[in-house]
Amino acid sequence: MAEMKTLAATVRSGTGKGAARSVRREGRIPAVLYGGGEAPTPLSLDKKSTTQLIFAGHFLTTIFELDIDGKKERAIPRDYQLDVVRDFPIHVDFLRLKPGSRLKVNVPVHFINQETSPGLKRGGALNIVYHSIEMTVPADAIPEAVTADLGGMDFNDSLHISQIPLPEGCRPTNPDKNFTVASLAPPAGGAEEAAPAAEAAPKGKK
């Protein structure tokens, strides 16, 4: 399950590009909290702590308890923008999480048991179709990843979504109900060397 973290925020006055630039001049990051049947709330965030959280990874699947001037709001980041030149955050969008709500997220796929795959041990190539899978998930139980077991895969085998255990309440959005997540191809030179030629017939009598 995705972890929850705390992030302090303050309500900012004004909206639009001018107000956002003013927030950045103060050394903070503009943000907005929307959804949940409420009006959007413009926020500002501490630049140092927010930047560290974004570049630490898993930012878009982390649930935050936003401390907004003393009021607590559960939310998940839906997007962030980086400066195109200096590569630091310049805006963050948060979605409110209400009890019982669901949302779409991209859940990473972790592949295990490569070392016991017959096809990989004999030089096969793993073709990963999906490194992450878009799913609808409960807002209070967002999985950090799903696990795909490669242990039994041989040449020309495919691993389908039906073979991957999914957390309770999580459903892929792909309309194909049993789409391929990965496949295993033989080496480029062919599956295996042909078997040795049959033994020569016994020599005749002199």
Side-chain angles (χ1 to χ4, degrees):
M1 184 184 299
E3 59 183 321
M4 180 182 289
K5 294 185 177 180
T6 300
L7 182 61
T10 60
V11 176
R12 59 184 169 94
S13 59
T15 57
K17 294 182 178 179
R21 283 195 293 267
S22 178
V23 170
R24 295 187 193 106
R25 282 196 296 268
E26 296 170 0
R28 295 178 65 80
I29 298 175
V32 64
L33 174 65
Y34 66 92
E38 300 182 29
T41 303
L43 304 172
S44 73
L45 310 170
D46 177 74
K47 184 176 181 178
K48 181 179 179 181
S49 59
T50 304
T51 301
Q52 289 174 340
L53 288 165
I54 288 174
F55 288 110
H58 306 293
F59 183 67
L60 296 179
T61 55
T62 299
I63 298 174
F64 286 91
E65 184 177 68
L66 297 178
D67 185 345
I68 307 171
D69 299 327
K71 180 184 177 182
K72 303 294 174 51
E73 289 263 20
R74 289 177 72 248
I76 186 169
R78 297 309 280 156
D79 195 14
Y80 60 86
Q81 298 171 24
L82 300 178
D83 183 272
V84 295
V85 177
R86 290 175 287 177
D87 202 35
F88 59 79
I90 58 174
H91 194 274
V92 182
D93 290 335
F94 288 97
L95 175 67
R96 288 186 180 91
L97 297 180
K98 297 297 185 181
S101 61
R102 296 178 61 84
L103 67 155
K104 288 182 182 179
V105 295
N106 286 304
V107 180
V109 181
H110 290 176
F111 294 92
I112 63 170
N113 293 332
Q114 292 92 327
E115 68 281 358
T116 60
S117 162
L120 289 176
K121 287 198 294 185
R122 303 203 320 276
L126 182 67
N127 173 34
I128 299 176
V129 182
Y130 290 98
H131 290 271
S132 64
I133 299 171
E134 185 183 67
M135 301 185 190
T136 59
V137 303
D140 55 353
I142 302 172
E144 292 186 358
V146 294
T147 301
D149 190 346
L150 305 177
M153 290 188 70
D154 207 339
F155 296 153
N156 302 313
D157 284 347
S158 294
L159 183 70
H160 297 94
I161 188 63
S162 62
Q163 297 167 269
I164 299 177
L166 301 181
E168 185 176 356
C170 297
R171 296 192 296 271
T173 60
N174 193 319
D176 182 349
K177 299 302 181 184
N178 198 26
F179 58 91
T180 299
V181 176
S183 60
L184 207 162
E192 289 183 292
E193 294 294 331
E199 294 183 7
K203 294 181 179 179
K205 293 181 181 180
K206 293 184 178 179

